[in-house]
């Protein structure tokens, strides 16, 4: 229990016992209202700061997951490009190994490989955009956390401001 809530409880107790005159009771009631409003605002600000800290932790995990997703997408692009390269090498060297070269099959495989590379590259771009979005949300939340922290410190320093 803080000093302010203790003072408010004492003021109410004194008023209820009838140990003060009417003017003092009015003043004590006003002080109780001011103290109650201050404590309510301080509690709300503290709760807001706690919620923002929880959101920051969640966003930090999302940022890590987005970075790993981007890394995985990058390796997917490399894998698809190597697969396409293998298809091209297989088609080019088919004649030298004595195999019959089929242009239609080679063209279809090469186009599919190119489509896979493009698809993986778009996945990579998507993962990068997601990571950037999470980083932007985290920066915005951090600036809000600083403002809320300053507001709580101001309430701690001057309860009647």
């Amino acid at each position: 229990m803080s000093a302010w809530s203790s003072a408010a409880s004492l003021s109410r107790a004194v008023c209820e016992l009838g140990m003060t005159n009417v003017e003092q009771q009015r003043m004590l009631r006003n002080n109780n209202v001011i103290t109650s409003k201050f404590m309510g605002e301080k509690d709300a600000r503290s709760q807001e700061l706690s919620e923002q800290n929880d959101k920051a932790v969640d966003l930090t995990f999302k940022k890590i997951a987005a970075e790993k997703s981007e890394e995985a997408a990058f390796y997917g692009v490399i894998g698809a490009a190597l697969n396409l390269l293998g298809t091209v090498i297989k088609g080019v060297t088919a004649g030298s190994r004595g195999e019959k070269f089929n242009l239609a099959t080679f063209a279809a495989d090469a186009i599919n490989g190119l489509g896979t590379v493009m698809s993986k590259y778009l996945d990579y771009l998507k993962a990068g955009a997601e990571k950037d979005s999470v980083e932007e949300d985290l920066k915005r939340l951090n600036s809000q956390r600083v403002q809320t922290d300053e507001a709580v410190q101001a309430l701690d320093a001057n309860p009647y401001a």
Side-chain angles (χ1 to χ4, degrees), residues 35-51:
T35 302
S36 297
K37 286 184 179 182
F38 162 72
M39 292 306 294
E41 185 175 345
K42 185 175 177 185
D43 290 343
R45 289 288 186 174
S46 296
Q47 181 65 27
E48 183 180 350
L49 186 62
S50 175
E51 288 173 2

Side-chain angles (χ1 to χ4, degrees), residues 3 11 17 27 39 72 143:
S11 297
L17 290 173
M27 184 182 74
M39 292 306 294
S143 69

Side-chain angles (χ1 to χ4, degrees), residues 69-79 120 123-124:
S69 178
E70 182 182 36
E71 183 180 346
F74 175 74
Y75 289 125
V77 171
I78 291 174
K120 297 295 182 180
D123 288 344
Y124 173 70

Side-chain angles (χ1 to χ4, degrees), residues 85-157:
L85 180 64
T87 300
V88 170
I89 291 172
K90 179 182 173 187
V92 169
T93 61
S96 65
R97 292 183 305 205
E99 297 175 6
K100 185 175 177 184
F101 179 74
N102 186 345
L103 182 60
T105 304
F106 172 73
D109 288 346
I111 289 171
N112 282 338
L114 185 61
T116 303
V117 170
M118 292 305 295
S119 174
K120 297 295 182 180
Y121 181 69
L122 291 174
D123 288 344
Y124 173 70
L125 292 177
K126 178 183 167 189
E130 181 181 346
K131 183 184 85 166
D132 293 343
S133 174
V134 170
E135 285 177 350
E136 184 179 319
D137 289 345
L138 190 58
K139 286 177 186 176
R140 188 181 80 263
L141 182 64
N142 283 337
S143 69
Q144 290 174 352
R145 287 171 62 198
V146 168
Q147 290 173 352
T148 302
D149 190 39
E150 289 172 354
V152 170
Q153 289 176 359
L155 287 171
D156 286 341

